[in-house]
Amino acid sequence: MKQILILIIAVFAALPLQAQYEYTLKQCLEEGLLNNYSLRISRNEEQISKNNATLGNAGYLPTVDFTAGYTGDLNSSDSKLRADGSTVAERNVLDHTLDAGIDLNWTIFDGFNISTTYKQLQELERQGATNTRIAIEDFIATLTAEYYNYIQQEIRLKNFRYAVSLSKERLRIVEERYHIGNFSRLDFQQATVDFNADSAQYMKQQELVHTSRINLNELMANKDVDRPIRVRDSVIDLNRILDFDELWNATLNTNANLLHADQNTVLAQLDYKKVLSRNYPYLRLNAGYGYTFNKYDVNATRQRNNWGFSGGITIGFNIFDGNRRREKRNASLAIRNAQLEREQVEQALRADLSNLWQAYRNNLRLLHLERQNLIAAKENHEIAKERYLLGNLSGIEMREAQQSLLDAEERILSAEYDTKMCEISLLQLSGKITVYLK
């Protein structure tokens, strides 16, 4: 028994000795938004899509190439002259050719394919920003949920600590009266079992607090995930003034997933336009400036230098390629699918919002009821304690009164946390999750 008491006291004493960092929810979010690895990856991917949205990548600009080359031919030959039948032998004849030039190729018109491609790249840039926004909103919701989970676990730890103190006091009373013969050994053993059970539950809860703290540090990308932290809030504050119609209108106007679905529809429409662009002719320009040097061993001309400009225009029209009709049908179906997916997303959001709203309102009503139950449980516990001290109540009945009080506190805590989770999800769906940064 003394060893268990020493262990509990040691745990209590060790907690304040650790250096702790105090955080508000806003500070946690700010640090996480700056350092979180997933968000940094999302921002880099957004920058990639931004870098891709250029005129050159779309094909608006010409290409300019510099080329140079050298060719050497080493030949031997025997030539028999027709006039006199003599043979002329040539051995190891080396001819040199050196060329260099600058070439410009420019597609001036490609059936609106280039302009459509540029619009696609710009839409992908906007979609990259939307993806980053989705990642940020998911992160805010996740970290906020974990922040309040940490508060929940700390409150639960406090409740279990209180349970240990109650069991300790009961054990002290039973032990004193057992020695003077007022209580039986069964009462003493039962009080000991209850005290040990509460102590074990308290120690288990410490593990859950530690796990939640590690999760918070990981979300904030702290190098030392075991770093002790302390949150400034000690209660789970609730927003009780949410309005369903306002939330739904905000969801339709600002929800990032709906915006992403709209962007997918635009991209599908642009793919369709790219297929149609093949029904138009194309116009291409090419120009260049080159230099060529030739050197001959046995030719009548010993060497030759050539330089100058070249240029041309190509006009063409693809009459038939065997795939255009199929690609057009598929592109049309892709547009329809994108529209259906958008409608599906909207319906899913409506269902999620309705379910979360019902849970939110129900949890608020449940919380009010549980707070009334807590008042009754506290009064019941005080009455049971007085009767127990007078010897008019058994240890088992006293334990039941104590457990009823702890259960009432646990139900309130669970209702508060569940309500907060519904609130976070409702704000995320409606695009208002950034309110926690204010």
Side-chain angles (χ1 to χ4, degrees):
M1 180 59 59
K2 291 182 179 180
Q3 292 177 343
I4 295 177
L5 290 174
I6 292 173
L7 177 61
I8 298 297
I9 293 172
V11 171
F12 289 154
L15 292 176
L17 296 178
Q18 296 178 324
Q20 295 183 337
Y21 298 85
E22 186 176 78
Y23 282 95
T24 63
L25 174 58
K26 181 180 178 181
Q27 289 171 333
C28 287
L29 290 172
E30 288 174 346
E31 185 170 328
L33 289 171
L34 182 64
N35 300 323
N36 182 267
Y37 292 107
S38 296
L39 292 183
R40 288 158 67 182
I41 292 172
S42 295
R43 293 190 185 101
N44 288 338
E45 291 175 346
E46 178 187 355
Q47 186 61 43
I48 290 173
S49 62
K50 184 177 181 180
N51 294 341
N52 287 336
T54 63
L55 294 174
N57 194 29
Y60 268 113
L61 303 180
T63 61
V64 179
D65 298 309
F66 171 78
T67 59
Y70 167 80
T71 303
D73 295 322
L74 181 63
N75 298 303
S76 298
S77 64
D78 292 325
S79 303
K80 188 172 183 179
L81 302 179
R82 185 182 298 278
D84 57 5
S86 60
T87 300
V88 179
E90 296 175 344
R91 296 292 183 265
N92 299 322
V93 178
L94 180 60
D95 295 333
H96 304 268
T97 301
L98 176 65
D99 61 82
I102 295 178
D103 298 307
L104 179 145
N105 293 281
W106 191 4
T107 300
I108 299 175
F109 179 74
D110 194 17
F112 305 106
N113 181 65
I114 296 175
S115 60
T116 303
T117 299
Y118 186 56
K119 291 178 182 178
Q120 271 189 325
L121 294 173
Q122 290 177 314
E123 193 64 30
L124 287 172
E125 179 184 0
R126 287 187 283 270
Q127 193 172 72
T130 302
N131 289 336
T132 300
R133 179 188 159 191
I134 291 174
I136 290 174
E137 291 181 352
D138 286 344
F139 171 78
I140 292 175
T142 300
L143 191 144
T144 303
E146 190 57 51
Y147 179 87
Y148 285 104
N149 178 55
Y150 184 73
I151 294 175
Q152 175 191 220
Q153 300 302 339
E154 285 280 13
I155 295 174
R156 188 170 287 125
L157 182 68
K158 180 180 177 181
N159 292 340
F160 287 155
R161 186 185 300 132
Y162 177 62
V164 170
S165 67
L166 292 178
S167 297
K168 179 183 176 183
E169 176 64 15
R170 176 185 161 208
L171 179 60
R172 183 189 65 79
I173 295 171
V174 171
E175 188 174 14
E176 289 178 355
R177 296 193 176 184
Y178 167 69
H179 289 305
I180 63 176
N182 286 350
F183 279 146
S184 67
R185 181 161 183 83
L186 177 61
D187 293 325
F188 177 70
Q189 292 291 352
Q190 185 61 50
T192 302
V193 169
D194 293 339
F195 174 73
N196 290 343
D198 290 341
S199 300
Q201 197 171 29
Y202 173 76
M203 285 184 262
K204 183 65 177 178
Q205 181 60 29
Q206 283 186 312
E207 180 183 338
L208 297 178
V209 172
H210 180 263
T211 300
S212 181
R213 187 179 75 238
I214 289 177
N215 291 340
L216 273 177
N217 279 319
E218 183 182 11
L219 287 169
M220 292 187 289
N222 289 325
K223 298 295 183 181
D224 181 12
V225 294
D226 288 311
R227 184 181 68 168
I229 62 174
R230 184 167 63 88
V231 299
R232 190 168 298 175
D233 297 308
S234 59
V235 296
I236 300 177
D237 61 311
L238 302 175
N239 185 347
R240 301 173 181 271
I241 58 173
L242 297 178
D243 180 76
F244 180 83
D245 292 332
E246 181 183 347
L247 289 171
W248 177 239
N249 290 331
T251 300
L252 291 176
N253 294 326
T254 62
N255 181 269
N257 289 304
L258 272 180
L259 179 60
H260 191 276
D262 289 334
Q263 290 166 343
N264 282 336
T265 301
V266 173
L267 288 171
Q269 291 170 343
L270 291 173
D271 280 333
Y272 183 79
K273 289 182 179 180
K274 289 183 72 172
V275 175
L276 295 181
S277 68
R278 291 158 63 181
N279 295 329
Y280 295 87
Y282 57 84
L283 176 64
R284 295 168 185 165
L285 170 68
N286 61 82
Y289 182 86
Y291 169 78
T292 303
F293 170 76
N294 297 100
K295 182 179 179 182
Y296 309 101
D297 267 2
V298 297
N299 198 306
T301 302
R302 183 176 180 182
Q303 64 182 39
R304 175 180 296 165
N305 293 279
N306 296 320
W307 63 89
F309 290 94
S310 63
I313 294 178
T314 302
I315 299 176
F317 181 78
N318 183 273
I319 298 175
F320 178 76
D321 61 10
N323 291 317
R324 197 175 310 172
R325 293 181 60 186
R326 174 185 59 82
E327 292 177 3
K328 182 179 177 181
R329 288 195 298 266
N330 288 346
S332 180
L333 289 172
I335 293 174
R336 183 54 184 157
N337 280 344
Q339 294 170 341
L340 290 172
E341 288 172 0
R342 199 272 183 198
E343 294 173 6
Q344 184 181 35
V345 170
E346 181 177 337
Q347 185 185 52
L349 288 173
R350 177 72 185 197
D352 290 342
L353 194 72
S354 296
N355 287 331
L356 287 167
W357 179 255
Q358 179 63 31
Y360 170 76
R361 299 300 302 171
N362 188 62
N363 278 315
L364 284 177
R365 291 191 292 267
L366 182 63
L367 183 58
H368 177 72
L369 178 63
E370 291 298 346
R371 283 176 176 164
Q372 292 179 332
N373 287 340
L374 179 61
I375 295 174
K378 285 182 177 180
E379 293 178 355
N380 182 56
H381 180 264
E382 289 299 322
I383 295 173
K385 186 177 180 181
E386 292 177 3
R387 293 183 59 192
Y388 184 71
L389 292 174
L390 295 173
N392 296 329
L393 196 70
S394 68
I396 294 178
E397 291 173 315
M398 180 62 200
R399 177 66 176 179
E400 289 178 352
Q402 175 187 336
Q403 194 62 45
S404 295
L405 175 60
L406 296 175
D407 288 344
E409 291 175 339
E410 175 62 26
R411 289 194 301 270
I412 285 181
L413 182 59
S414 296
E416 287 177 338
Y417 181 72
D418 291 343
T419 305
K420 194 66 180 180
M421 293 305 99
C422 291
E423 173 195 317
I424 292 171
S425 297
L426 287 170
L427 293 176
Q428 183 181 9
L429 288 176
S430 59
K432 297 183 176 182
I433 194 69
T434 54
V435 69
Y436 292 116
L437 285 168
K438 298 178 182 179

